[in-house]
């Protein structure tokens, strides 16, 4: 296996690897790139979205005007129904077990996640100096036939017109993998990965 | 060599005009030409006299600009291209000057080829292989020839196979375009005799094109291109 | 009848046709072998490490962490302290962990310090374990286990003494503390084959007289004394981690990445492998592009051959027409010819591919660690075949349409 990498080295691509990587790190909060983690264990599948505010409501500053607050409330409501965001094949017999939808700020710690639902944005004014808003949503399903999840579709891209790309990290007993999903092909193929 | 009915026309041409394009100098105008059923007609003409064009019109490769071409009392010049192709395969056996056969196919396949395209003609042949062999025999082709590749035959043999192919399934009309030009005089005579007897036994009409007047005596009628076509500017 | 005659016709031009078929087969085979190698390389590549949920190291890019921890390429910029490592593995989500310490080498092969968990937990090719081919585990402080590749290239066997060099390209050896080979691992096709494995304590031991990368002048602690010392590791380079439930991975990953005491990175191996592969993909797409171009070239070659035969076959077309074949049949005949050529090429190329792979598979596995799967044709190959047949037919339309015009215009007048 090393040989492939040696080939790479000889192509002088490693610098490219590193630099490409660093750019990615810097651009972690890039507009247009949302993150999605999918984990499968037994009959449970969990979806965890972390999406920059700009991709959802078109801005990332703290909402102060009534208009902006309304937009955020509207968006949180949209997240409340996961079928606006993604859909699972019906023959997988997945039932929503729990869900958590929140608006987060970049530096928030895990314990803030415990705040349920929409109250979150009320705290915004206290952190007025913070500039990045992030939508956080986590859905957990129990599935009767989890192997039937051969693909996941993302109405997300149609729901939110500002949305860009979704970087998906996926893990199951078959190992981990990643996808990049965009609006022109809003689905991932998980066949053989669960 | 009996003629069944003198009034029945195999070919009837009325005031046919043809030219390739408006610019071309060559123009063909045939006011009238008719060939009776069962007749053996020799069409004489110098090269460039329009013989081949006339044959192409009769065979339905070309359509006249005006006038009527009737074969077996059926008007063919307003048929669609596909129907003309079908009509040709059903009604006309064609023999060229030379290189009549698909060189890579064996003699039997070459002979049976028209039957593939014409249901009408294949209906006339009950046992295809046997019929092909018996025609070959009457054409005095050596027995072992039928399974040989066409390219392995002599020119004379090839022309006889071409006759067999033209006549299989008894088409009403056989058109031969200088079939003897590649043969020497002795072979010509043998070839013509064999062809005539086959044409007679299948009751077909024969229209043969040649520039060789010496063959005239063997035919029922001789038509000279000069006499049937009108020269135009 | 038509099919038989087309075969006759092709057979009559056997040499030209055979060469065309051979050329097309070669190009198809080239494409298929690139594709096979590509998918097999990808599988072998991703099979390098399996069942490890997270790899933890000092803050760095995921590809870099993967390269040095799994592929032993490049260097860690920093180590992580044992305390941080313990904090991580004490999290309730962690089921098992394997600490790894890198930095030294032996004759160009990397030396890796680890513990017995490594042999239990490191899996490759979908869950295979590493096994000892000869000898024993690391029982003594100065025992070393070498990978199959190291044994083969350096011609080592159990019992051979071995000196570890400091760093990767330095001239200073840890020659005061010689090791002895206690075991040789079976071949894995992974970088483990080219690794020299010692215990974490041994790594500490050989650095007793070293401080911040340099040997302390004049200090040579006797081996007997070292054996009595506390050699518990102070830091490690990376750790492989397994979690209790996959559902906890992302939470644990976030916790590690936000660990306040030390800058840590944690990566999902599969995700990092894929990132790396995307970069390798540049080369891979290049190869693929080349083979697709070759296929197109041979398609054009086939068309040229059909084209060049057209003039000499003009008479043949006239014969067909005289028999009553419509111009469409003439087109059909030429397309049928192209179809037969392409189907034969596909068959020949598949046979050649499997024969070649069958012969080369052991060599490829040994030399490059890529296990080429030769059992079946991929569904994708079938699609490619259909696509090829389709494009061959389409391309053959060009000479066919020319033949169509010939046959319409020629009629009775045939040029020879």
């Amino acid at each position: 296996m090393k040989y492939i990498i040696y080939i790479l080295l000889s192509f002088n691509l490693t610098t490219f690897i590193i630099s490409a990587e660093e750019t990615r790190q810097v651009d972690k909060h890039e507009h247009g790139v949302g993150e999605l983690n999918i984990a499968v264990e037994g009959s449970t599948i969990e979806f965890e979205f972390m999406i920059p505010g700009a991709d959802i409501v078109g801005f990332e500053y703290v909402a102060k005007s009534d208009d902006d607050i309304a937009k955020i409330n509207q968006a949180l409501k949209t997240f409340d129904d996961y079928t606006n965001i993604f859909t699972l094949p019906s023959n997988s017999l997945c039932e929503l077990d729990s869900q958590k939808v929140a608006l987060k700020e970049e530096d928030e710690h895990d314990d803030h996640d415990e705040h349920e639902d929409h109250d979150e944005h009320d705290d915004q004014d206290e952190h007025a100096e913070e500039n990045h808003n992030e939508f956080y949503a986590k859905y957990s399903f129990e599935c009767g036939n989890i192997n039937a999840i051969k693909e996941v579709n993302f109405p997300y891209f149609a729901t939110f017109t500002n949305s860009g790309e979704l970087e998906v990290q996926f893990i199951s007993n078959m190992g981990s993998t990643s996808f990049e999903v965009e609006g022109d092909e809003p689905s991932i193929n998980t066949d053989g990965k669960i | 060599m009996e003629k069944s009915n003198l009034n029945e026309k195999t070919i009837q041409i009325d005031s046919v005009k043809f030219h390739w394009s408006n610019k071309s100098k060559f123009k063909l105008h045939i006011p009238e030409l008719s060939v009776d059923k069962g007749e053996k007609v020799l069409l004489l003409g110098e090269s460039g006299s329009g013989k081949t064009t006339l044959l192409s019109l009769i065979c339905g490769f070309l359509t006249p600009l005006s006038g009527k071409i009737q074969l077996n009392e059926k008007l063919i010049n307003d048929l669609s291209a596909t129907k003309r192709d079908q009509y040709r395969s059903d009604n006309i056996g064609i023999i060229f000057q030379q290189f009549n056969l698909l060189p890579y196919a064996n003699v039997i396949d070459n002979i049976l080829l028209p039957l593939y395209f014409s249901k009408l003609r294949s209906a006339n042949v009950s046992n295809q292989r046997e019929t092909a062999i018996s025609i070959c025999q009457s054409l005095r082709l050596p027995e072992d020839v039928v399974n040989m590749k066409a390219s392995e035959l002599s020119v004379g043999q090839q022309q006889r196979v071409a006759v067999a192919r033209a006549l299989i399934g008894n088409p009403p009309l056989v058109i031969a375009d200088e079939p003897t030009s590649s043969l020497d005089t002795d072979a010509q005579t043998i070839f013509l005799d064999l062809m005539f007897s086959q044409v007679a036994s299948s009751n077909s009409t024969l229209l043969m094109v040649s520039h060789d007047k010496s063959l005239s005596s063997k035919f029922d009628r001789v038509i000279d291109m000069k006499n049937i076509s009108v020269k135009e500017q | 009848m038509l099919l038989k005659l087309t075969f006759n016709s092709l057979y009559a031009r056997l040499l030209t046709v055979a060469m065309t078929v051979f050329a097309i087969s070669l190009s198809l085979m080239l494409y298929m072998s690139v594709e096979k190698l590509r998918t097999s390389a990808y599988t072998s590549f991703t099979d390098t490490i399996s069942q490890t949920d997270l790899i933890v190291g000092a803050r760095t890019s995921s590809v870099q962490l993967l390269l040095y921890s799994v592929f032993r390429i490049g260097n860690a910029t920093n180590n992580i302290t044992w305390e941080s490592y313990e904090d991580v593995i004490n999290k309730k989500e962690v089921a098992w962990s394997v600490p790894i310490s890198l930095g030294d080498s032996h004759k160009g092969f990397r030396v890796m310090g680890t513990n017995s968990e490594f042999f239990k937990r490191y899996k490759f090719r979908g869950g295979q374990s590493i096994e000892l081919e000869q000898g024993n585990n690391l029982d003594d402080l100065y025992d070393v286990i070498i990978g199959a590749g190291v044994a083969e290239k350096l011609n080592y066997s159990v019992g051979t003494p071995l000196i570890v060099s400091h760093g990767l390209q330095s001239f200073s050896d840890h020659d005061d503390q010689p090791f002895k080979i206690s075991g040789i691992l079976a071949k894995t096709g992974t970088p483990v084959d080219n690794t020299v494995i010692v215990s974490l304590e041994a790594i500490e031991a050989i650095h007793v007289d070293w401080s911040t990368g340099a040997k302390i002048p004049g200090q040579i602690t006797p081996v007997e004394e070292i054996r009595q010392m506390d050699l518990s590791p102070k830091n490690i380079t990376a750790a492989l981690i397994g979690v209790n439930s996959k559902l906890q991975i992302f939470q644990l990953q976030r916790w590690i990445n936000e660990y306040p005491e030390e800058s840590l990175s944690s990566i999902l191996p599969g995700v990092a492998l894929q990132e790396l592969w995307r970069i390798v993909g540049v080369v891979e797409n290049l190869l693929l592009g080349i083979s697709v171009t070759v296929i197109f070239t041979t398609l054009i070659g086939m068309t040229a051959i059909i084209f060049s035969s057209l003039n000499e076959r003009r008479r043949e077309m006239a014969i067909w027409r005289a028999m009553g074949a419509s111009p469409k049949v003439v087109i059909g005949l030429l397309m049928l010819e192209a179809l037969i050529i392409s189907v034969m090429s596909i068959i020949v190329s598949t046979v050649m591919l499997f024969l070649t792979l069958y012969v080369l598979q052991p060599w490829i596995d040994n030399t490059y660690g890529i296990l080429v799967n030769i059992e079946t044709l991929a569904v994708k190959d079938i699609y490619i075949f259909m696509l090829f047949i389709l494009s061959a037919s389409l391309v053959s339309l060009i000479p066919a349409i020319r033949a169509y015009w010939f046959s319409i215009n020629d009629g009775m007048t045939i040029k020879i």
Side-chain angles (χ1 to χ4, degrees), chain C residues 59-317:
Chain C
R59 176 68 51 83
T60 181
S61 75
S62 56
V63 169
Q64 227 172 345
L65 177 52
L66 180 80
L67 280 179
Y68 70 69
S69 66
V70 177
F71 292 97
R72 317 228 207 289
I73 292 172
N75 282 309
T77 39
N78 280 304
N79 276 355
I80 55 179
T81 60
W82 188 260
E83 288 76 20
S84 302
Y85 170 67
E86 287 208 306
D87 276 355
V88 170
I89 64 171
N90 286 335
K91 291 284 286 179
K92 62 178 191 309
E93 294 93 341
V94 177
W96 55 263
S97 73
V98 178
I100 287 172
S101 190
L102 296 160
D104 289 342
S105 65
H106 171 73
K107 296 193 175 165
F109 294 99
R110 302 290 174 112
V111 171
M112 179 179 81
T114 185
N115 60 19
S116 57
E117 280 287 287
F118 178 80
F119 301 97
K120 214 159 82 189
R121 300 297 182 181
Y122 181 83
K123 307 274 179 178
F124 62 100
R125 279 189 189 170
Q128 270 179 268
S129 301
I130 41 180
E131 273 162 24
L132 273 174
E133 175 113 329
Q134 299 170 42
N136 298 305
N137 290 329
L138 301 172
D139 296 327
D140 185 72
L141 180 61
Y142 293 110
D143 273 354
V144 49
I145 287 178
I146 57 172
V150 183
E152 196 187 315
K153 275 163 213 146
L154 300 179
N155 205 11
Y156 282 178
S157 52
V158 174
T160 309
L162 183 150
I163 301 289
V164 174
S165 308
H166 186 76
L168 302 176
Q169 279 151 345
S170 84
F171 300 102
S172 43
D173 293 338
H174 297 288
D175 47 6
D176 50 334
Q177 296 177 50
F179 284 78
K180 202 181 80 203
I181 293 169
S182 72
I184 295 171
L185 296 174
K187 195 170 167 47
T188 63
T190 72
V192 172
D193 292 347
N194 295 319
T195 305
V196 172
I197 301 169
V198 300
S199 65
L200 283 175
E201 288 74 19
I203 297 283
E204 287 299 320
I206 54 178
H207 292 107
V208 162
D209 296 327
W210 292 64
S211 170
T212 59
K215 204 165 174 27
I216 301 163
Q219 186 180 320
I220 297 177
T221 316
V223 169
E224 291 69 33
E225 204 172 306
I226 291 175
R227 284 184 183 276
Q228 304 308 313
M229 292 167 72
D230 173 21
L231 293 171
S232 51
K234 291 173 195 67
N235 53 55
I236 56 169
T237 312
L240 312 180
I241 293 202
V243 294
N244 288 313
S245 162
K246 307 287 178 208
L247 302 179
Q248 300 162 338
I249 282 184
F250 297 113
Q251 200 179 315
L252 180 64
Q253 188 187 23
R254 253 196 308 277
W255 185 87
I256 295 169
N257 291 348
E258 288 165 7
Y259 182 67
E261 319 291 327
E262 196 174 347
S263 289
L264 301 179
S265 280
S266 59
I267 57 165
L268 281 72
V271 172
L273 278 166
Q274 227 171 345
E275 240 170 72
L276 182 53
W277 190 257
R278 251 172 239 153
I279 298 153
V280 182
V282 177
V283 182
E284 153 197 278
N285 286 335
L286 196 76
L287 280 174
L288 215 56
I290 291 170
S291 41
V292 168
T293 315
V294 173
I295 292 184
F296 264 98
T297 316
T298 45
L299 269 183
I300 293 167
M302 178 179 76
T303 317
I305 285 166
I306 296 179
F307 239 114
S308 68
S309 71
L310 271 193
N311 269 326
E312 62 196 62
R313 294 172 69 200
R314 216 161 153 168
R315 166 155 293 274
E316 191 188 321
M317 302 299 155

Side-chain angles (χ1 to χ4, degrees), chain C residues 19-38:
Chain C
M19 281 169 70
T20 314
V21 167
F22 189 62
I24 298 175
S25 303
L26 271 184
S27 66
L28 276 176
M29 192 183 103
L30 180 72
Y31 168 81
M32 284 196 293
S33 16
V34 168
E35 187 61 18
K36 269 253 175 263
L37 275 182
R38 192 175 77 107

